[in-house]
Amino acid sequence: MKVTVVSRSGREVVKGGLELNETATVADLQHAIHKRIKKLYPSRQRLTLPLPPGTKGRPVVLHHQKSLIHYCDGNLDNLTIVFKDLGPQVSYRTLFFFEYLGPLILYPLFYYFPVYRYFGYNGERAIHPVQTYTLYYWCFHYFKRIMETFFVHRFSHSTSPLSNVFRNCAYYWTFGSYIAYYVNHPLYTPVSNLQARIGFGFGVICQLSNFYCHILLRNLRSPAGNGGYQIPSGFLFNLVTCANYTTEIYQWLGFNVATQTVAGYIFLVVATSIMTNWALAKHRRLKKLFDGREGRPKYPRRWVILPPFL
């Protein structure tokens, strides 16, 4: 079987095409492209079928585990594939590790070291108990996130664009420093002990609930990350489509009840808006996939992300 690999503009990417066995899979094709062009490793490749002339829409993306014959449409002699270079890639574990490592390291710097002298404050700094508890809460959260990245999460896609590392690190590291600056500031005024206990207690419950939600999501996928979309169930997923986002948002609400800073509430609003968009997209996707037709189960009625609001 001859496979012609072209760009979206029609330019031939692999000169002369590739000769592959009729039993070859899409993964075999990706490795053959990589063998001819070393920088184009498989995770950097996006392979699709060409759209018929004059038509618009999304092209069919080739799945790496499927046989090429599946996409031949009866023509076993010559197959044309459209290639897109996704650019440099990194694993999702690498991406998440670095985005979470920043806040985990930066926050204690504001607590333990005299960084405020560089901002013009030379007086004595008294550390309130709530600032110490906040340090423990913060570090537990990001340490948990890193451990989940390596030992809990199963990813449907193996890699992410390298540019996302810089974007995500800028988001997490900037907000981490922003919040740490105000919570640990020498002029910080703590809330009452009762309010701090309520905030941290509620937040810890949400963090543990979030961990259990991630365990449930992990069990929906095989160790290789396969499994496709399934209806999540159990625990809070019986009530909320994206219970993992729900518990993440409410644990930051507990954090802010205990600390009361403008920086923390700004982060809460921004994070909530981002996760709400993700939750709405996932909710729509699940309702579309599980529509109750042709033997498919019907997606049950649930909150999307924020009971009792959405």
Side-chain angles (χ1 to χ4, degrees):
M1 174 192 299
K2 182 177 181 181
V3 180
T4 303
V5 183
V6 299
S7 65
R8 286 185 291 179
S9 63
R11 181 181 60 83
E12 195 172 21
V13 175
V14 180
K15 300 298 182 182
L18 295 164
E19 290 291 341
L20 295 173
N21 193 291
E22 290 186 358
T23 61
T25 63
V26 174
D28 294 328
L29 172 59
Q30 290 178 317
H31 287 294
I33 294 173
H34 179 216
K35 188 174 181 180
R36 292 281 295 272
I37 307 175
K38 294 300 182 183
K39 72 173 184 177
L40 299 179
Y41 43 87
S43 61
R44 186 169 173 164
Q45 304 172 27
R46 182 175 184 265
L47 305 178
T48 62
L49 293 178
L51 289 172
T55 61
K56 294 183 179 180
R58 293 185 176 181
V60 175
V61 179
L62 276 60
H63 192 279
H64 71 281
Q65 290 183 332
K66 288 189 175 182
S67 172
L68 287 174
I69 294 179
H70 178 79
Y71 300 102
C72 284
D73 195 23
N75 183 8
L76 301 180
D77 296 326
N78 198 342
L79 175 65
T80 299
I81 299 298
V82 178
F83 169 89
K84 180 182 178 181
D85 183 4
L86 298 177
Q89 302 284 301
V90 296
S91 71
Y92 270 99
R93 285 188 170 84
T94 299
L95 170 66
F96 288 165
F97 172 73
F98 281 106
E99 69 183 36
Y100 299 147
L101 181 66
L104 184 61
I105 293 176
L106 291 171
Y107 192 97
L109 296 180
F110 287 86
Y111 179 87
Y112 286 110
F113 297 97
V115 295
Y116 293 95
R117 293 179 183 176
Y118 299 103
F119 296 101
Y121 186 89
N122 296 315
E124 290 293 326
R125 174 175 169 243
I127 298 178
H128 302 285
V130 69
Q131 291 173 310
T132 302
Y133 298 145
T134 303
L135 172 72
Y136 297 154
Y137 185 97
W138 181 279
C139 291
F140 171 74
H141 171 74
Y142 282 103
F143 179 76
K144 176 182 81 73
R145 296 288 287 268
I146 290 176
M147 292 298 102
E148 288 173 340
T149 296
F150 288 103
F151 301 109
V152 176
H153 293 322
R154 289 172 176 170
F155 303 99
S156 57
H157 300 286
S158 58
T159 62
S160 172
L162 177 62
S163 59
N164 286 349
V165 175
F166 302 101
R167 183 196 65 186
N168 290 18
C169 286
Y171 171 79
Y172 280 99
W173 295 28
T174 300
F175 264 119
S177 300
Y178 183 42
I179 295 171
Y181 174 83
Y182 283 102
V183 174
N184 295 290
H185 198 281
L187 300 180
Y188 172 76
T189 302
V191 300
S192 67
N193 288 335
L194 176 60
Q195 183 173 335
R197 291 194 188 100
I198 292 173
F200 285 134
F202 177 70
V204 168
I205 291 172
C206 290
Q207 288 215 51
L208 297 176
S209 299
N210 180 258
F211 173 74
Y212 186 55
C213 287
H214 288 158
I215 293 293
L216 293 176
L217 290 176
R218 165 194 168 89
N219 293 335
L220 293 179
R221 295 188 183 276
S222 69
N226 301 321
Y229 287 102
Q230 300 182 48
I231 299 177
S233 61
F235 191 46
L236 297 177
F237 285 109
N238 292 333
L239 302 173
V240 190
T241 293
C242 293
N244 51 322
Y245 296 153
T246 302
T247 50
E248 178 75 11
I249 290 170
Y250 280 130
Q251 73 94 13
W252 283 117
L253 177 62
F255 173 88
N256 281 292
V257 167
T259 55
Q260 290 286 79
T261 65
V262 172
Y265 278 110
I266 291 175
F267 176 68
L268 175 62
V269 170
V270 173
T272 299
S273 65
I274 293 172
M275 284 186 276
T276 298
N277 287 333
W278 292 345
L280 287 169
K282 184 172 183 179
H283 188 75
R284 287 192 295 266
R285 190 181 302 116
L286 289 172
K287 288 186 68 175
K288 182 178 180 181
L289 288 172
F290 301 102
D291 54 8
R293 300 174 183 173
E294 299 178 0
R296 294 185 292 270
K298 185 173 179 58
Y299 194 74
R301 184 178 178 85
R302 291 176 177 174
W303 301 102
V304 179
I305 183 172
L306 289 175
F309 308 109
L310 183 62

